[in-house]
Amino acid sequence: MEAYSEDFVAHNFPLVVLSGLGDDPAAPSEQRDQPRTLLHEGGFRVTSDLPLLKGRLAAQLLEVFQAADSTTAPWLGRPLRGSNAGPRYRIKRTGRTYALPPRKAPPPPHSPRLGPSHNGDNAPPPIVLHSTLSPLTPSSPLFPDGIITPLWITKHQNRLPAVFIFFLPFTSDPNTSSLLDNRLKIEINTVKSVFTSTNYKTKLIAVLLCEEGDDSPLDVDDRLPSIRRATGLDTKSLLFLSPESSKDEVRDFTNNLLSNLQSNCLEYYRDLSKHARRKRNRGNAPPPTGPPVSGTSQVLPAQGWNVRYEFKMGIFAEFRQEMDAAGRNFDNAYEILVNSELLESFSHWSPRFNEARMLADVIAIRTIRCLLWNGSPSAAVKSWLNHRERIRDFINRRGKGTRSYGWEAWEALWTKTMAQLIERADLTAFKLTDGLDSQLRKASSIFIYSDNTKASTLAERMHPWELLHHQGYWLRMSAKHQAQRRLFAKQLPEEDRIAPGQSPASRISNRSDLYDTYLTTEPHDELPLDDHSGFDHSAEIVTCLQSSVSHFASRQQIRSVEAVGLQMASEYIGNRSWTEAMCILRPMWSSLSWRQAGWWGLVEEIAWPLRDCAVHVRDAETVLRLDWELQNKAIPRRNGWKYDLHGALNDFDAVNPKPAVVLKSDDVLACIEPSFVFQAIEGNVGEPLKAQLSLFSHTHEGSKPIRLSEVKVVFEGSLRSIRLQSDENESSANPGSDVQIFNLNLRDSSVAANTTNLPSPLPSPNTGVPSLIGISNLTVHPGQIKIWNLTCIPREAGDVRAVSITLLVDDDQFSLAYVLTPSLESFADTWWEYKNGKPTSRCLGRGQDLNVAKILPKPPKVRIDIPGLRKVYYTGETLSLPIKVLNDEETACTISLAVHLVSSASSLARIRWEDESSETDSQESLASHVPSRSIGELARSESKTFPICVEGVAAAVDYDLEVSATYYLITDMDTPIHKSLIVKIPFIRPFEANSDLHPRLDPTPWPDFFQLPQINSSESRISAPSGLQQTFALTTKLASFAAEPLVLESIRIVESHVTGDAVWSVGSSRLLSPGSSDPSANLTPHTVQPKTLVEFSHDLLIRKLTIGDLNPVILDLSLQLTWRRESEAEPPTTITTTTTTLLPFRSYQLPFGEPRVLLTSTSSSRPAPLQSPATTAPPTTTHLTYTLENPSLHYLTFSLTMDSSEHFAFSGPKHLALSLTPLSRASVDYKVLVFNDQQQRQKKPGGEGGMEIRPNLVVLDTHFRKVLRVLGAGENVRTVGAAGGGAGKGGATAAAASGGATGGPTGGGVVVRL
């Protein structure tokens, strides 16, 4: 928009003038904003003799006001942020003198009347004065038929303020305050009188600032009302700012002041709009100040006055920021200007023609801005298109036509103006922000799809060019019109390009009739014929394209960026700026999106200009890159071009070292396409693996052949790289065919002579490994296909992949390497072979990755076996496992063995070679693997056995024994072969045991409490225990979980831990299992069948060390079993014949200080008088003996009560009181006669019939009031119920053994078997 007057196109804001604040800006302002003569002469001046206000407060106020200036703010309707968030104003600063524009023009000088006078009066007729800018004023530039001038907008935007803020000093000195206040009143009234006399409705605001550095108290409350009364200003028009105000308070004061001014500004410009509307509605033009000069054009018609008034009302609406109303006024003005005969009434040679055309442009610009402001982007584009088409039609009808450089210059300006309007509008949709949705915002910021209202229906009816695109679209279009402008300029005749001083006057007059120079240069300045510089079309085009490409790039419109970049490069090439064009095209070449899309015709458009630039800047590398790709026939052939890769640098001077170029398949289009396939996707180590290497020529027909120096294939895996070196003397089997197949023998590079010294452009992953070399003819002609059959031998298992294929061209002038990094799409899936003497291809596997082969290990033929392995083993056993190795290979081999034991148990077993010593280091003894053992060379069909020892197995889990053998055939010592065997060895526990502890009556006499023990002087006092002794029966139930019969060799009770100062010993042992004919027989040896239960008993004797020790004894015992397998039918795989297993018992707590009651019984069968006559069986008499023990140191008295029963009769005391001294015991006997009751008779386990009775003797400790339990202490007596039953947990068994007291009668008791 720089071609238009700034006031004509700039957005309008209410003008606020600051007077007396800061330094006097008159001198620089006058130079920067020089007022026109018409706006400066004849106007009133606002002057004051008061000094300018400076200091901290004045500087802060000025800073805040300048920040609120909206002159450079975006033209948008949404609320602003920051300092411009409030009302928008045009802030202008002035000194103590300000000139207002004149309201009326001065009267013209007196001239005599041309007609006869009336009534003999020689006085001139009355003169009607108008504005200095009115078409009715002779001194106006619009007189007599002009419509509007930008000076009118300058008058209201820069000269005539809506608000005049008058800053005045305010003193706190009481001596001069009265004098200064009076002066302030005079100054304010003087300024008011100036605005009143001019009839301008400018709002006057007076702001009082206190002088700094004066600490005198202020009587503001008394002085301000006095000044207001004297000046007639209200509280909103006379303001005071305290000298102690902070920066934030100054900002708040300024913002409040500007906010309060908004209503005044709206009212001010609304009055001006009403004044213009009244003039428009008047219907006729007022008389001019003076008549038009004879011979000039006619006066402004009524349509012109309507355009003038509508335009004024639109400007005043913009001042009020009412863009809807402004848009309507501008639309009315535009329609009246263009549709009526007003525009066509001007002759094309008249200056009014271009003025009216510019006014149409300005109205269209302001209309577009209103539409963008109100959120109607599509309507703005339609308005832009409508103006262009209507002006095109008007110029073709009434102007000089649109086939000229002048029209293209205006088109370029018009599209550039649209881009500038979008830039100033700062639309949210076109703003690029960083964040999670940045990619979405970039994609949606290319264009605004439609207006906010009726989006879906409007979009269906709109064309793409009717959408509002971002600035890059319009700038690119502007560059296009600039290029058209240059074409038309080059068509100008030479005589019209001569300067005016060098051509005839008649020719100069004809130029104004032929060429449209609206907003553009004259023909002699557009493209001068002499050496003078004219308009720089290329610079303008490049500037537009550079701005355009930045917008396209920011939105990731890659293809548009490339197209615009090509246009820029073409401009530079046209100016022979090769370096600048090279800097644009070279980065685009490798990453060209047209290449990825396969648009090779467009690729060619860049390739040839880039090659020309590379030749001129002597860039040999770029020339080689381009010639390699241009050889491909996918790029259209260039007529007359000689395609010769080896002659690409013939025009270059030879340099040393010669240029070297490395091309990658991802960046360039190859003219020779290599491929590599394996015949089979699987192979074995040491076996031949067949593959094919192919070269497909895609060069143009008639191009020179390409002579390759070397082809190198690099693998990932166990294959060595392959290098094919050139030898043109080598021939193929079918030299005249386009398809040639070679059977190539590869040799080791460490043996074969290396025929080339070219370094590899891509290092092999197997660096240091010798490669395989083959010699062949590598010259490739156009359209030719060359195939090489290759055979490789993999040395290790794993995946083998061809990671790169390198084509080397080593010429005298350059060295070029093309590297193909393979992918599934880049490799062929065909295999070439001869059929009926002709080369044919067949598909190996479509969709498969044929450049990858899976190498499997060589099938091992060495066998590993462990003979005699049992189905199950038992914990604690030491195993001897023979590992047998048998060689079934065709040749002898050297073998090494490794053994590893794996288990889920936290503590693993130990393994070792049996022939090695078991006394190893402690760390080695915990190892679950043994060192690898070499067994040397094993001949064909030979076998060897190596036993392994497994010991220390404590956990009953399954172990995995892994035996691995690594061997090498003596015919191939480079290829290792692996064989492994994994066997599962299950371990289980052979036995599980459960034990019960029952008290027994100890026959040993107790010591007498009233007699001292006799101590032999020759013996030590602690040589033998002297405390109390108790006897217990330890009953054990042993369950066998073995899968076969096991023979118990010995059963022992061993001590784990005993506390309580006591000693223990084992008495007699007996077998209690069912079916045992002799319970008193020895326990061992005894054969335990699988899944059976064996019960046996041991007598335990426990004695305290001292007689006075009453602490309980905690007894921890274990059962030690020594056993062996009964059957040896299977081959033995154990080292020892017997195994010892330790089974721990639970802990037993035996309280030695508590009294207890023990019951024993004996039976006898004799006739009794109580026998019933109906019974046949003799009555049974049972003797019950209750033994009361007092091991404590207290004198205890017990109350005994025997309960009666309906099942038996007893003889003995019914009630008895028994006293026991400390450390004593006593017995009470009862004789029981059992009745012959069949309900009591039960079947004994041995098969004999029998009866059971439950005698209930209540024993009460009269001192502690505790009832003692009666414990069974004989073979035929057992404790049941609460007493523990003999099989309870550790705590219950301890209580039963101790006979502890209870709080009262219990539900338990004893059962006596008769």
Side-chain angles (χ1 to χ4, degrees):
M1 293 181 289
E2 61 276 358
Y4 303 97
S5 174
E6 182 181 358
D7 294 331
F8 241 160
V9 296
H11 183 57
N12 301 115
F13 298 99
L15 178 61
V16 177
V17 174
L18 310 178
S19 176
L21 190 63
D23 297 330
D24 188 4
S29 178
E30 288 293 333
Q31 212 166 26
R32 181 178 64 253
D33 192 13
Q34 183 72 24
R36 276 64 168 179
T37 304
L38 297 175
L39 299 178
H40 189 70
E41 294 180 354
F44 291 88
R45 290 182 177 270
V46 179
T47 60
S48 176
D49 295 335
L50 293 175
L52 298 174
L53 299 182
K54 301 179 182 179
R56 181 185 63 86
L57 279 181
Q60 291 179 358
L61 273 174
L62 183 59
E63 179 182 357
V64 177
F65 273 113
Q66 290 177 343
D69 187 9
S70 301
T71 304
T72 59
W75 298 341
L76 73 167
R78 67 177 186 272
L80 295 173
R81 296 181 180 180
S83 59
N84 292 326
R88 305 179 188 182
Y89 300 99
R90 161 83 163 90
I91 307 296
K92 184 178 180 180
R93 182 166 60 96
T94 184
R96 288 301 184 186
T97 301
Y98 187 76
L100 296 173
R103 189 172 185 84
K104 299 293 183 180
H110 176 72
S111 58
R113 292 178 302 171
L114 300 178
S117 61
H118 297 278
N119 299 326
D121 188 5
N122 294 329
I127 299 175
V128 180
L129 299 179
H130 301 280
S131 170
T132 57
L133 303 178
S134 174
L136 302 175
T137 302
S139 60
S140 171
L142 300 178
F143 183 81
D145 53 355
I147 300 177
I148 200 71
T149 176
L151 290 177
W152 180 86
I153 302 179
T154 304
K155 169 186 173 181
H156 289 276
Q157 184 64 81
N158 295 322
R159 302 303 305 169
L160 186 58
V163 178
F164 190 86
I165 303 179
F166 198 29
F167 291 91
L168 302 170
F170 190 77
T171 183
S172 60
D173 188 2
N175 298 325
T176 61
S177 60
S178 177
L179 180 62
L180 184 59
D181 289 351
N182 293 331
R183 186 177 179 183
L184 294 179
K185 297 173 186 178
I186 296 173
E187 295 290 341
I188 294 174
N189 288 327
T190 302
V191 174
K192 283 186 62 178
S193 64
V194 172
F195 284 107
T196 303
S197 61
T198 59
N199 291 327
Y200 290 140
K201 297 183 179 181
T202 301
K203 177 69 175 179
L204 176 63
I205 302 294
V207 179
L208 305 179
L209 298 181
C210 186
E211 298 177 355
E212 297 185 12
D214 195 347
D215 298 333
S216 301
L218 295 174
D219 49 351
V220 179
D221 296 337
D222 297 332
R223 296 168 59 187
L224 288 183
S226 175
I227 297 175
R228 290 193 181 101
R229 287 191 301 270
T231 58
L233 299 178
D234 55 9
T235 56
K236 294 183 178 180
S237 301
L238 181 63
L239 305 176
F240 172 75
L241 182 60
S242 174
E244 299 177 355
S245 300
S246 63
K247 190 172 183 179
D248 293 337
E249 292 175 342
V250 171
R251 183 182 297 106
D252 294 339
F253 172 82
T254 306
N255 293 336
N256 292 333
L257 172 60
L258 295 177
S259 298
N260 295 331
L261 294 180
Q262 188 175 11
S263 59
N264 300 108
C265 294
L266 292 176
E267 186 65 26
Y268 173 80
Y269 290 107
R270 190 173 287 114
D271 290 341
L272 293 177
S273 296
K274 292 178 181 179
H275 181 70
R277 187 178 298 107
R278 285 193 298 267
K279 286 186 176 182
R280 184 198 62 181
N281 296 335
R282 192 167 48 191
N284 56 351
T289 301
V293 181
S294 177
T296 60
S297 61
Q298 60 182 3
V299 297
L300 185 65
Q303 293 90 345
W305 287 102
N306 290 335
V307 171
R308 177 180 175 86
Y309 294 136
E310 290 289 348
F311 183 77
K312 284 185 177 182
M313 288 189 292
I315 295 297
F316 292 141
E318 277 201 26
F319 274 110
R320 301 192 305 269
Q321 310 304 306
E322 296 176 0
M323 305 305 290
D324 290 338
R328 290 191 295 270
N329 291 125
F330 289 139
D331 284 339
N332 295 336
Y334 184 83
E335 293 299 328
I336 297 174
L337 177 64
V338 177
N339 288 342
S340 66
E341 298 179 356
L342 176 63
L343 191 60
E344 298 187 3
S345 64
F346 300 110
S347 301
H348 64 84
W349 50 265
S350 173
R352 301 300 183 197
F353 183 86
N354 287 340
E355 289 180 5
R357 185 176 172 184
M358 178 175 289
L359 180 60
D361 290 351
V362 170
I363 295 176
I365 291 174
R366 288 182 174 270
T367 302
I368 294 171
R369 180 169 58 224
C370 292
L371 293 173
L372 293 177
W373 186 291
N374 295 326
S376 300
S378 299
V381 177
K382 289 183 179 180
S383 178
W384 183 90
L385 294 171
N386 177 62
H387 177 66
R388 185 185 66 175
E389 296 304 322
R390 298 177 77 168
I391 294 299
R392 183 197 302 272
D393 178 69
F394 173 72
I395 294 301
N396 286 329
R397 289 187 295 103
R398 298 289 297 172
K400 301 167 186 177
T402 57
R403 298 286 298 173
S404 64
Y405 77 92
W407 171 256
E408 294 296 339
W410 181 85
E411 283 264 39
L413 175 63
W414 186 235
T415 52
K416 189 175 182 180
T417 299
M418 188 63 175
Q420 293 171 345
L421 285 172
I422 297 173
E423 185 73 26
R424 290 299 303 271
D426 195 21
L427 298 176
T428 305
F430 287 155
K431 298 184 70 174
L432 299 176
T433 57
D434 296 332
L436 296 177
D437 59 340
S438 60
Q439 298 295 329
L440 181 61
R441 289 298 304 271
K442 288 178 181 179
S444 61
S445 63
I446 297 174
F447 60 84
I448 301 179
Y449 198 71
S450 62
D451 295 342
N452 295 332
T453 59
K454 301 179 182 179
S456 59
T457 58
L458 288 176
E460 294 175 358
R461 298 195 299 264
M462 287 190 300
H463 298 92
W465 55 85
E466 294 177 341
L467 304 176
L468 182 63
H469 293 257
H470 61 80
Q471 301 93 305
Y473 168 82
W474 304 98
L475 291 171
R476 183 182 180 184
M477 189 185 302
S478 177
K480 177 183 177 181
H481 289 295
Q482 290 289 356
Q484 288 295 114
R485 173 185 179 181
R486 180 175 56 189
L487 291 178
F488 283 112
K490 290 181 179 180
Q491 298 175 6
L492 292 174
E494 293 185 359
E495 58 270 16
D496 293 340
R497 294 162 56 189
I498 301 175
Q502 303 176 6
S503 59
S506 61
R507 188 62 186 171
I508 296 176
S509 62
N510 292 333
R511 294 181 188 176
S512 60
D513 297 335
L514 295 176
Y515 300 109
D516 182 7
T517 58
Y518 170 68
L519 297 180
T520 186
T521 58
E522 296 291 336
H524 62 275
D525 292 329
E526 180 73 14
L527 193 64
L529 190 61
D530 51 13
D531 296 335
H532 295 85
S533 60
F535 183 78
D536 193 349
H537 301 88
S538 295
E540 184 67 21
I541 293 173
V542 170
T543 301
C544 292
L545 292 178
Q546 286 177 344
S547 302
S548 175
V549 77
S550 63
H551 291 284
F552 283 115
S554 62
R555 291 162 176 83
Q556 296 183 356
Q557 294 179 264
I558 305 303
R559 292 175 179 172
S560 297
V561 170
E562 294 168 352
V564 176
L566 180 58
Q567 297 178 17
M568 293 173 56
S570 300
E571 286 296 325
Y572 283 124
I573 292 175
N575 296 332
R576 304 187 68 82
S577 300
W578 307 105
T579 304
E580 290 78 1
M582 185 77 174
C583 294
I584 295 175
L585 296 178
R586 184 64 184 88
M588 292 170 48
W589 179 248
S590 299
S591 59
L592 204 59
S593 64
W594 302 338
R595 176 198 305 276
Q596 300 172 1
W599 298 345
W600 304 113
L602 295 177
V603 172
E604 182 197 15
E605 296 294 330
I606 292 183
W608 292 111
L610 178 58
R611 192 185 189 282
D612 293 340
C613 295
V615 171
H616 283 86
V617 300
R618 318 308 291 175
D619 188 348
E621 179 180 348
T622 302
V623 171
L624 292 173
R625 287 176 177 270
L626 290 170
D627 281 9
W628 175 264
E629 292 197 68
L630 291 173
Q631 293 271 347
N632 195 303
K633 58 186 178 183
I635 299 178
R637 184 184 182 90
R638 187 177 187 180
N639 295 330
W641 183 257
K642 182 181 179 181
Y643 289 91
D644 184 9
L645 179 64
H646 297 278
L649 303 183
N650 289 340
D651 296 335
F652 287 70
D653 297 332
V655 294
N656 189 16
K658 60 185 179 181
V661 183
V662 177
L663 308 178
K664 295 184 178 180
S665 59
D666 296 336
D667 302 333
V668 298
L669 178 65
C671 59
I672 298 179
E673 180 186 0
S675 68
F676 186 89
V677 294
F678 290 105
Q679 187 179 23
I681 61 175
E682 288 187 355
N684 294 102
V685 174
E687 297 181 359
L689 182 64
K690 293 184 179 182
Q692 272 190 357
L693 173 64
S694 305
L695 297 180
F696 298 86
S697 175
H698 301 296
T699 57
H700 287 283
E701 183 180 357
S703 61
K704 294 294 185 67
I706 298 177
R707 300 184 300 274
L708 300 179
S709 304
E710 182 179 339
V711 179
K712 183 175 182 179
V713 184
V714 178
F715 298 94
E716 181 184 61
S718 60
L719 287 183
R720 294 184 288 176
S721 59
I722 300 175
R723 299 174 61 185
L724 272 64
Q725 297 179 348
S726 177
D727 187 358
E728 296 185 1
N729 297 326
E730 293 287 334
S731 60
S732 64
N734 193 1
S737 175
D738 291 337
V739 180
Q740 298 180 3
I741 302 177
F742 301 84
N743 293 320
L744 194 63
N745 295 324
L746 301 177
R747 295 173 294 172
D748 197 325
S749 62
S750 60
V751 179
N754 197 354
T755 58
T756 180
N757 295 323
L758 288 177
S760 173
L762 185 67
S764 170
N766 302 324
T767 304
V769 179
S771 59
L772 300 176
I773 293 181
I775 306 298
S776 184
N777 187 347
L778 300 181
T779 301
V780 183
H781 294 266
Q784 193 176 40
I785 302 176
K786 285 194 170 185
I787 302 100
W788 287 270
N789 292 323
L790 307 175
T791 301
C792 308
I793 299 179
R795 297 300 179 184
E796 295 180 3
D799 290 342
V800 175
R801 178 187 299 272
V803 295
S804 69
I805 303 177
T806 305
L807 308 182
L808 294 170
V809 179
D810 188 19
D811 196 78
D812 295 337
Q813 296 178 334
F814 64 88
S815 177
L816 183 144
Y818 171 75
V819 182
L820 172 65
T821 52
S823 62
L824 183 60
E825 294 81 7
S826 63
F827 273 86
D829 56 357
T830 58
W831 182 269
W832 291 86
E833 59 189 357
Y834 280 107
K835 285 188 177 181
N836 299 326
K838 295 182 180 180
T840 58
S841 63
R842 60 182 176 90
C843 181
L844 290 180
R846 190 174 302 277
Q848 295 182 359
D849 194 358
L850 298 178
N851 69 316
V852 179
K854 184 177 182 180
I855 306 302
L856 304 176
K858 186 175 182 179
K861 297 182 181 180
V862 170
R863 291 191 298 172
I864 304 175
D865 191 16
I866 302 178
L869 194 65
R870 296 180 181 270
K871 294 182 179 180
V872 66
Y873 290 90
Y874 307 110
T875 56
E877 283 189 299
T878 300
L879 311 185
S880 177
L881 304 177
I883 300 176
K884 182 180 180 181
V885 182
L886 175 63
N887 181 16
D888 283 344
E889 295 283 354
E890 298 296 331
T891 60
C893 56
T894 58
I895 306 176
S896 62
L897 288 178
V899 183
H900 187 68
L901 191 64
V902 181
S903 174
S904 60
S906 58
S907 59
L908 295 177
R910 299 183 296 271
I911 60 174
R912 59 181 175 84
W913 297 108
E914 188 173 322
D915 53 0
E916 294 180 357
S917 174
S918 61
E919 298 179 358
T920 57
D921 186 74
S922 59
Q923 295 296 333
E924 295 180 358
S925 63
L926 298 177
S928 60
H929 64 278
V930 295
S932 178
R933 180 168 185 169
S934 176
I935 63 177
E937 183 176 327
L938 197 64
R940 178 183 178 184
S941 301
E942 184 182 0
S943 64
K944 289 185 179 181
T945 302
F946 302 89
I948 193 79
C949 179
V950 181
E951 56 188 6
V953 180
V957 295
D958 292 343
Y959 287 82
D960 291 332
L961 184 66
E962 180 180 355
V963 182
S964 59
T966 302
Y967 66 96
Y968 296 84
L969 301 178
I970 60 174
T971 57
D972 186 7
M973 298 299 294
D974 295 333
T975 304
I977 306 175
H978 303 279
K979 175 68 176 180
S980 61
L981 173 67
I982 299 178
V983 295
K984 187 177 295 293
I985 305 178
F987 280 87
I988 63 173
R989 296 184 182 275
F991 301 104
E992 291 289 344
N994 188 16
S995 63
D996 293 323
L997 191 64
H998 305 282
R1000 291 292 183 264
L1001 182 63
D1002 187 77
T1004 306
W1006 282 28
D1008 191 353
F1009 182 74
F1010 299 100
Q1011 293 182 0
L1012 293 175
Q1014 296 181 0
I1015 300 176
N1016 191 356
S1017 59
S1018 62
E1019 295 180 357
S1020 174
R1021 293 179 180 269
I1022 59 174
S1023 60
S1026 60
L1028 297 179
Q1029 177 175 303
Q1030 293 184 3
T1031 301
F1032 297 90
L1034 181 62
T1035 303
T1036 304
K1037 295 180 179 180
L1038 184 65
S1040 174
F1041 292 95
E1044 56 185 321
L1046 300 180
V1047 179
L1048 293 175
E1049 296 289 343
S1050 66
I1051 301 176
R1052 294 181 55 197
I1053 303 297
V1054 296
E1055 174 187 337
S1056 297
H1057 185 68
V1058 176
T1059 58
D1061 295 333
V1063 294
W1064 69 280
S1065 61
V1066 180
S1068 61
S1069 301
R1070 53 195 174 277
L1071 187 64
L1072 303 179
S1073 298
S1076 175
S1077 59
D1078 187 6
S1080 62
N1082 293 332
L1083 294 179
T1084 56
H1086 181 76
T1087 301
V1088 181
Q1089 299 297 327
K1091 310 301 179 182
T1092 58
L1093 187 68
V1094 177
E1095 185 176 2
F1096 48 88
S1097 176
H1098 294 81
D1099 291 337
L1100 297 182
L1101 304 178
I1102 303 174
R1103 185 163 188 165
K1104 280 287 190 174
L1105 296 179
T1106 58
I1107 192 172
D1109 187 5
L1110 303 180
N1111 294 323
V1113 175
I1114 300 176
L1115 190 63
D1116 293 328
L1117 303 176
S1118 299
L1119 182 65
Q1120 180 177 310
L1121 304 176
T1122 302
W1123 55 272
R1124 61 178 174 82
R1125 298 175 185 267
E1126 184 183 39
S1127 176
E1128 293 295 341
E1130 299 180 2
T1133 55
T1134 57
I1135 296 178
T1136 57
T1137 57
T1138 60
T1139 302
T1140 300
T1141 301
L1142 193 65
L1143 302 177
F1145 291 151
R1146 58 179 178 268
S1147 284
Y1148 295 102
Q1149 183 175 359
L1150 308 176
F1152 267 70
E1154 296 182 3
R1156 62 178 183 172
V1157 181
L1158 303 179
L1159 173 62
T1160 58
S1161 68
T1162 58
S1163 299
S1164 61
S1165 296
R1166 305 185 288 183
L1170 295 178
Q1171 183 176 354
S1172 176
T1175 61
T1176 59
T1180 302
T1181 302
T1182 303
H1183 297 271
L1184 302 180
T1185 302
Y1186 290 91
T1187 302
L1188 279 71
E1189 296 180 347
N1190 181 17
S1192 67
L1193 299 179
H1194 302 281
Y1195 184 87
L1196 299 178
T1197 300
F1198 300 96
S1199 174
L1200 282 73
T1201 302
M1202 174 63 78
D1203 293 340
S1204 302
S1205 176
E1206 60 182 4
H1207 300 293
F1208 62 87
F1210 67 90
S1211 172
K1214 174 69 175 176
H1215 301 282
L1216 178 65
L1218 181 64
S1219 298
L1220 295 179
T1221 60
L1223 300 178
S1224 63
R1225 60 182 177 178
S1227 298
V1228 178
D1229 293 331
Y1230 287 91
K1231 185 181 295 184
V1232 177
L1233 180 63
V1234 181
F1235 301 138
N1236 191 4
D1237 191 352
Q1238 295 296 332
Q1239 294 181 355
Q1240 292 190 115
R1241 188 173 300 274
Q1242 295 180 355
K1243 193 72 174 178
K1244 291 185 178 181
E1248 299 178 358
M1251 292 186 302
E1252 292 182 348
I1253 61 174
R1254 291 177 177 253
N1256 186 20
L1257 178 67
V1258 179
V1259 180
L1260 176 65
D1261 185 347
T1262 59
H1263 179 74
F1264 293 102
R1265 307 302 299 174
K1266 300 294 183 181
V1267 176
L1268 274 67
R1269 293 191 181 96
V1270 178
L1271 304 177
E1275 293 295 335
N1276 296 325
V1277 182
R1278 73 177 190 276
T1279 306
V1280 296
K1289 298 298 181 183
T1293 304
S1298 63
T1302 61
T1306 64
V1310 292
V1311 176
V1312 180
R1313 181 177 295 275
L1314 303 179

